[in-house]
Short mmCIF file of all heavy atoms in Angstrom, two decimals:
data_model
loop_
_atom_site.label_atom_id
_atom_site.label_comp_id
_atom_site.label_asym_id
_atom_site.label_seq_id
_atom_site.Cartn_x
_atom_site.Cartn_y
_atom_site.Cartn_z
N ILE A 1 -15.26 127.54 -19.30
CA ILE A 1 -14.78 128.47 -18.23
C ILE A 1 -14.54 127.75 -16.91
O ILE A 1 -15.28 126.78 -16.65
CB ILE A 1 -15.82 129.64 -18.05
CG1 ILE A 1 -15.32 130.63 -17.12
CG2 ILE A 1 -17.22 129.09 -17.58
CD1 ILE A 1 -16.23 131.98 -16.98
N SER A 2 -13.62 128.15 -16.18
CA SER A 2 -13.39 127.70 -14.89
C SER A 2 -12.89 128.75 -13.86
O SER A 2 -12.45 129.83 -14.46
CB SER A 2 -12.37 126.46 -14.84
OG SER A 2 -12.30 125.77 -13.59
N PHE A 3 -12.97 128.59 -12.64
CA PHE A 3 -12.70 129.48 -11.61
C PHE A 3 -11.70 129.02 -10.57
O PHE A 3 -11.81 127.76 -10.15
CB PHE A 3 -13.99 129.93 -10.88
CG PHE A 3 -15.11 130.39 -11.74
CD1 PHE A 3 -15.99 129.52 -12.22
CD2 PHE A 3 -15.24 131.73 -12.02
CE1 PHE A 3 -16.98 129.92 -12.97
CE2 PHE A 3 -16.27 132.14 -12.78
CZ PHE A 3 -17.21 131.24 -13.41
N ASP A 4 -10.75 129.75 -10.25
CA ASP A 4 -9.88 129.53 -8.95
C ASP A 4 -10.14 130.69 -8.13
O ASP A 4 -10.46 131.90 -8.58
CB ASP A 4 -8.50 129.40 -9.37
CG ASP A 4 -7.73 130.72 -9.75
OD1 ASP A 4 -7.56 131.55 -8.80
OD2 ASP A 4 -7.38 130.73 -10.94
N ALA A 5 -9.94 130.51 -6.81
CA ALA A 5 -10.17 131.57 -5.85
C ALA A 5 -9.43 131.30 -4.64
O ALA A 5 -8.99 130.13 -4.32
CB ALA A 5 -11.59 131.83 -5.57
N THR A 6 -9.26 132.28 -3.80
CA THR A 6 -8.76 132.13 -2.44
C THR A 6 -9.75 131.14 -1.68
O THR A 6 -10.94 131.00 -2.03
CB THR A 6 -8.65 133.37 -1.70
OG1 THR A 6 -9.99 134.00 -1.51
CG2 THR A 6 -7.78 134.48 -2.38
N CYS A 7 -9.21 130.57 -0.68
CA CYS A 7 -10.06 129.59 0.10
C CYS A 7 -10.90 130.34 1.17
O CYS A 7 -10.72 130.05 2.41
CB CYS A 7 -9.18 128.54 0.79
SG CYS A 7 -7.82 129.16 1.76
N SER A 8 -11.74 131.30 0.74
CA SER A 8 -12.59 132.10 1.65
C SER A 8 -13.88 131.26 1.76
O SER A 8 -14.37 130.58 0.83
CB SER A 8 -12.77 133.47 1.05
OG SER A 8 -11.51 134.06 0.93
N LEU A 9 -14.67 131.53 2.85
CA LEU A 9 -15.88 130.85 3.07
C LEU A 9 -17.17 131.73 2.87
O LEU A 9 -17.21 132.77 3.38
CB LEU A 9 -15.96 130.47 4.60
CG LEU A 9 -17.22 129.91 5.19
CD1 LEU A 9 -17.49 128.51 4.59
CD2 LEU A 9 -17.15 129.82 6.78
N VAL A 10 -18.03 131.20 1.97
CA VAL A 10 -19.19 131.94 1.59
C VAL A 10 -20.42 131.31 2.17
O VAL A 10 -20.54 130.06 2.13
CB VAL A 10 -19.33 131.98 0.03
CG1 VAL A 10 -20.54 132.90 -0.34
CG2 VAL A 10 -18.08 132.45 -0.70
N VAL A 11 -21.36 132.13 2.77
CA VAL A 11 -22.50 131.60 3.42
C VAL A 11 -23.74 132.10 2.77
O VAL A 11 -23.80 133.28 2.54
CB VAL A 11 -22.50 131.89 4.92
CG1 VAL A 11 -23.80 131.25 5.55
CG2 VAL A 11 -21.27 131.29 5.61
N ARG A 12 -24.72 131.27 2.34
CA ARG A 12 -25.92 131.62 1.69
C ARG A 12 -27.05 130.92 2.45
O ARG A 12 -26.94 129.85 2.99
CB ARG A 12 -25.85 131.29 0.16
CG ARG A 12 -24.87 132.10 -0.58
CD ARG A 12 -25.46 133.59 -0.68
NE ARG A 12 -24.57 134.47 -1.42
CZ ARG A 12 -24.87 135.05 -2.61
NH1 ARG A 12 -26.08 134.83 -3.09
NH2 ARG A 12 -24.07 135.84 -3.19
N ASP A 13 -28.27 131.37 2.27
CA ASP A 13 -29.39 130.76 2.80
C ASP A 13 -30.00 129.83 1.83
O ASP A 13 -29.43 129.60 0.67
CB ASP A 13 -30.48 131.75 3.33
CG ASP A 13 -31.22 132.43 2.17
OD1 ASP A 13 -31.14 132.04 1.07
OD2 ASP A 13 -31.96 133.48 2.47
N PRO A 14 -31.07 128.93 2.25
CA PRO A 14 -31.49 127.92 1.29
C PRO A 14 -31.99 128.42 -0.07
O PRO A 14 -31.92 127.67 -1.12
CB PRO A 14 -32.69 127.32 2.06
CG PRO A 14 -32.36 127.46 3.50
CD PRO A 14 -31.66 128.93 3.58
N ALA A 15 -32.45 129.65 -0.09
CA ALA A 15 -32.80 130.34 -1.42
C ALA A 15 -31.74 130.94 -2.16
O ALA A 15 -31.92 131.42 -3.24
CB ALA A 15 -34.00 131.30 -1.13
N GLY A 16 -30.47 130.92 -1.61
CA GLY A 16 -29.37 131.46 -2.28
C GLY A 16 -29.06 132.96 -1.94
O GLY A 16 -28.15 133.52 -2.48
N ALA A 17 -29.84 133.46 -0.88
CA ALA A 17 -29.53 134.88 -0.58
C ALA A 17 -28.37 134.96 0.42
O ALA A 17 -28.05 134.00 1.04
CB ALA A 17 -30.89 135.42 0.05
N GLN A 18 -27.73 136.08 0.51
CA GLN A 18 -26.59 136.36 1.36
C GLN A 18 -26.90 136.24 2.93
O GLN A 18 -28.10 136.65 3.22
CB GLN A 18 -26.00 137.65 1.10
CG GLN A 18 -25.35 137.79 -0.29
CD GLN A 18 -24.81 139.13 -0.57
OE1 GLN A 18 -25.46 140.07 -0.92
NE2 GLN A 18 -23.46 139.24 -0.38
N VAL A 19 -26.07 135.65 3.65
CA VAL A 19 -26.26 135.48 5.12
C VAL A 19 -24.97 136.19 5.77
O VAL A 19 -23.80 135.85 5.34
CB VAL A 19 -26.23 134.01 5.44
CG1 VAL A 19 -26.22 133.86 7.04
CG2 VAL A 19 -27.47 133.35 4.94
N SER A 20 -25.13 136.99 6.70
CA SER A 20 -24.00 137.76 7.35
C SER A 20 -23.07 136.84 8.02
O SER A 20 -23.48 136.00 8.83
CB SER A 20 -24.50 138.80 8.18
OG SER A 20 -23.47 139.57 8.77
N VAL A 21 -21.79 137.04 7.88
CA VAL A 21 -20.72 136.45 8.72
C VAL A 21 -20.03 137.47 9.61
O VAL A 21 -18.99 137.19 10.16
CB VAL A 21 -19.67 135.73 7.86
CG1 VAL A 21 -20.34 134.58 7.03
CG2 VAL A 21 -18.95 136.70 6.89
N SER A 22 -20.63 138.69 9.63
CA SER A 22 -19.89 139.90 10.22
C SER A 22 -20.68 140.16 11.49
O SER A 22 -21.84 140.06 11.71
CB SER A 22 -20.05 141.06 9.23
OG SER A 22 -19.56 142.22 9.88
N LEU A 23 -19.86 140.66 12.53
CA LEU A 23 -20.32 141.14 13.74
C LEU A 23 -21.22 142.36 13.55
O LEU A 23 -21.98 142.77 14.38
CB LEU A 23 -19.22 141.46 14.73
CG LEU A 23 -18.42 140.12 15.26
CD1 LEU A 23 -17.27 140.55 16.06
CD2 LEU A 23 -19.43 139.17 15.99
N THR A 24 -21.05 143.13 12.41
CA THR A 24 -21.89 144.21 12.07
C THR A 24 -23.33 143.78 11.79
O THR A 24 -24.14 144.70 11.79
CB THR A 24 -21.26 144.94 10.83
OG1 THR A 24 -21.48 144.26 9.72
CG2 THR A 24 -19.85 145.40 11.07
N GLY A 25 -23.55 142.55 11.31
CA GLY A 25 -24.85 142.08 10.99
C GLY A 25 -25.22 142.45 9.57
O GLY A 25 -26.35 142.08 9.14
N GLN A 26 -24.49 143.13 8.79
CA GLN A 26 -24.77 143.41 7.47
C GLN A 26 -24.65 142.29 6.52
O GLN A 26 -23.63 141.51 6.49
CB GLN A 26 -23.74 144.53 6.95
CG GLN A 26 -23.97 145.79 7.57
CD GLN A 26 -22.98 146.90 6.92
OE1 GLN A 26 -21.73 146.90 7.35
NE2 GLN A 26 -23.40 147.67 6.08
N LYS A 27 -25.74 141.91 5.85
CA LYS A 27 -25.86 140.78 5.03
C LYS A 27 -24.93 140.67 3.90
O LYS A 27 -24.48 139.67 3.38
CB LYS A 27 -27.26 140.54 4.60
CG LYS A 27 -28.28 140.12 5.54
CD LYS A 27 -29.72 139.88 5.03
CE LYS A 27 -30.71 139.42 6.05
NZ LYS A 27 -31.96 139.16 5.52
N ARG A 28 -24.46 141.85 3.43
CA ARG A 28 -23.58 141.97 2.32
C ARG A 28 -22.28 141.31 2.58
O ARG A 28 -21.64 140.66 1.67
CB ARG A 28 -23.36 143.32 1.81
CG ARG A 28 -22.63 144.28 2.79
CD ARG A 28 -22.38 145.62 2.26
NE ARG A 28 -21.62 145.59 1.01
CZ ARG A 28 -21.02 146.59 0.53
NH1 ARG A 28 -21.16 147.81 1.03
NH2 ARG A 28 -20.35 146.58 -0.68
N TRP A 29 -21.87 141.36 3.84
CA TRP A 29 -20.54 140.72 4.20
C TRP A 29 -20.82 139.26 4.57
O TRP A 29 -20.97 138.88 5.69
CB TRP A 29 -19.89 141.50 5.39
CG TRP A 29 -19.80 142.93 5.12
CD1 TRP A 29 -20.24 144.02 5.82
CD2 TRP A 29 -19.00 143.49 4.13
NE1 TRP A 29 -19.92 145.15 5.30
CE2 TRP A 29 -19.11 144.91 4.13
CE3 TRP A 29 -18.12 143.04 3.11
CZ2 TRP A 29 -18.41 145.86 3.22
CZ3 TRP A 29 -17.53 143.83 2.25
CH2 TRP A 29 -17.72 145.21 2.28
N ASP A 30 -20.89 138.48 3.59
CA ASP A 30 -21.32 136.94 3.68
C ASP A 30 -20.10 136.03 3.52
O ASP A 30 -20.24 134.83 3.48
CB ASP A 30 -22.39 136.72 2.67
CG ASP A 30 -21.92 136.82 1.20
OD1 ASP A 30 -20.82 137.42 1.00
OD2 ASP A 30 -22.59 136.26 0.35
N THR A 31 -18.88 136.65 3.43
CA THR A 31 -17.73 135.80 3.06
C THR A 31 -16.52 136.14 4.11
O THR A 31 -16.15 137.26 4.20
CB THR A 31 -17.29 136.08 1.69
OG1 THR A 31 -18.32 135.82 0.75
CG2 THR A 31 -16.11 135.29 1.31
N ILE A 32 -16.07 135.02 4.81
CA ILE A 32 -14.92 135.18 5.71
C ILE A 32 -13.65 135.01 4.80
O ILE A 32 -13.52 133.87 4.24
CB ILE A 32 -14.98 134.15 6.82
CG1 ILE A 32 -16.20 134.39 7.67
CG2 ILE A 32 -13.80 134.34 7.75
CD1 ILE A 32 -16.37 133.39 8.80
N VAL A 33 -12.78 135.93 4.69
CA VAL A 33 -11.65 135.92 3.86
C VAL A 33 -10.63 134.90 4.42
O VAL A 33 -10.49 134.62 5.52
CB VAL A 33 -11.02 137.34 3.71
CG1 VAL A 33 -9.81 137.24 2.85
CG2 VAL A 33 -11.99 138.26 3.26
N TRP A 34 -9.97 134.28 3.47
CA TRP A 34 -8.97 133.18 3.78
C TRP A 34 -8.07 133.65 5.04
O TRP A 34 -7.81 132.88 5.91
CB TRP A 34 -8.17 132.74 2.66
CG TRP A 34 -7.32 133.72 2.09
CD1 TRP A 34 -7.50 134.78 1.29
CD2 TRP A 34 -5.83 133.98 2.49
NE1 TRP A 34 -6.35 135.53 1.09
CE2 TRP A 34 -5.37 135.10 1.91
CE3 TRP A 34 -5.02 133.30 3.50
CZ2 TRP A 34 -4.03 135.55 2.05
CZ3 TRP A 34 -3.68 133.77 3.68
CH2 TRP A 34 -3.29 134.87 2.90
N LEU A 35 -7.61 134.88 4.89
CA LEU A 35 -6.59 135.30 5.87
C LEU A 35 -7.14 135.80 7.24
O LEU A 35 -6.42 136.02 8.18
CB LEU A 35 -5.77 136.51 5.27
CG LEU A 35 -6.47 137.69 4.76
CD1 LEU A 35 -6.87 138.64 5.85
CD2 LEU A 35 -5.54 138.47 3.81
N ASP A 36 -8.43 135.76 7.34
CA ASP A 36 -9.16 136.01 8.67
C ASP A 36 -8.70 135.01 9.68
O ASP A 36 -8.88 133.84 9.50
CB ASP A 36 -10.66 136.07 8.36
CG ASP A 36 -11.48 136.44 9.62
OD1 ASP A 36 -11.31 135.80 10.62
OD2 ASP A 36 -12.26 137.42 9.46
N HIS A 37 -8.25 135.50 10.89
CA HIS A 37 -7.83 134.59 11.92
C HIS A 37 -8.71 134.74 13.15
O HIS A 37 -8.33 134.52 14.26
CB HIS A 37 -6.38 134.96 12.42
CG HIS A 37 -5.34 134.24 11.46
ND1 HIS A 37 -4.12 133.98 11.93
CD2 HIS A 37 -5.46 133.74 10.24
CE1 HIS A 37 -3.38 133.35 10.99
NE2 HIS A 37 -4.24 133.17 9.94
N ARG A 38 -10.05 135.06 13.01
CA ARG A 38 -10.87 135.17 14.11
C ARG A 38 -11.17 133.88 14.80
O ARG A 38 -11.50 133.85 16.04
CB ARG A 38 -12.31 135.73 13.57
CG ARG A 38 -13.13 134.69 12.71
CD ARG A 38 -14.42 135.28 12.32
NE ARG A 38 -14.22 136.33 11.37
CZ ARG A 38 -15.26 137.12 10.76
NH1 ARG A 38 -16.51 136.76 11.10
NH2 ARG A 38 -15.02 137.94 9.92
N ALA A 39 -10.91 132.72 14.11
CA ALA A 39 -11.22 131.42 14.65
C ALA A 39 -9.96 130.68 15.17
O ALA A 39 -9.86 129.59 15.13
CB ALA A 39 -11.86 130.64 13.57
N ILE A 40 -9.03 131.38 15.67
CA ILE A 40 -7.73 130.86 16.14
C ILE A 40 -8.01 129.98 17.28
O ILE A 40 -7.40 128.91 17.46
CB ILE A 40 -6.69 131.90 16.40
CG1 ILE A 40 -5.29 131.30 16.56
CG2 ILE A 40 -7.10 132.81 17.70
CD1 ILE A 40 -4.12 132.26 16.52
N ASP A 41 -8.94 130.34 18.17
CA ASP A 41 -9.17 129.47 19.41
C ASP A 41 -9.80 128.14 18.99
O ASP A 41 -9.54 127.00 19.47
CB ASP A 41 -10.09 130.15 20.40
CG ASP A 41 -9.36 131.35 21.11
OD1 ASP A 41 -8.16 131.38 21.06
OD2 ASP A 41 -10.07 132.21 21.62
N GLU A 42 -10.72 128.23 18.01
CA GLU A 42 -11.44 127.10 17.43
C GLU A 42 -10.33 126.10 16.76
O GLU A 42 -10.49 124.89 16.75
CB GLU A 42 -12.51 127.45 16.55
CG GLU A 42 -13.82 128.10 17.26
CD GLU A 42 -13.56 129.45 17.62
OE1 GLU A 42 -12.60 130.19 17.28
OE2 GLU A 42 -14.59 130.03 18.32
N ALA A 43 -9.46 126.74 16.00
CA ALA A 43 -8.41 125.88 15.38
C ALA A 43 -7.59 125.16 16.50
O ALA A 43 -7.25 123.98 16.24
CB ALA A 43 -7.46 126.89 14.55
#
C-alpha cells in the first residue's frame, strides 16, 4: 500500500496527539491545507 496526498502540513506532539494550527485553538484542526495562504508575508 502507498499514499499520495496534497502537500498539506500536519502537526502532532511528541506522543502523536493532535496539535492545533487554528486560531480557534481547537486541536482537531491540526493540518494547514496546501491552498491556505495565511503565510504570504512569511513567503
Side-chain angles (χ1 to χ4, degrees):
I1 186 172
S2 191
F3 305 89
D4 73 70
T6 64
C7 52
S8 301
L9 173 68
V10 184
V11 182
R12 292 291 180 115
D13 72 13
Q18 292 179 277
V19 174
S20 179
V21 299
S22 178
L23 293 174
T24 68
Q26 292 180 278
K27 290 185 178 181
R28 67 177 301 192
W29 305 118
D30 64 344
T31 303
I32 302 179
V33 182
W34 69 270
L35 56 77
D36 183 301
H37 275 203
R38 70 181 69 182
I40 194 166
D41 290 339
E42 286 78 7

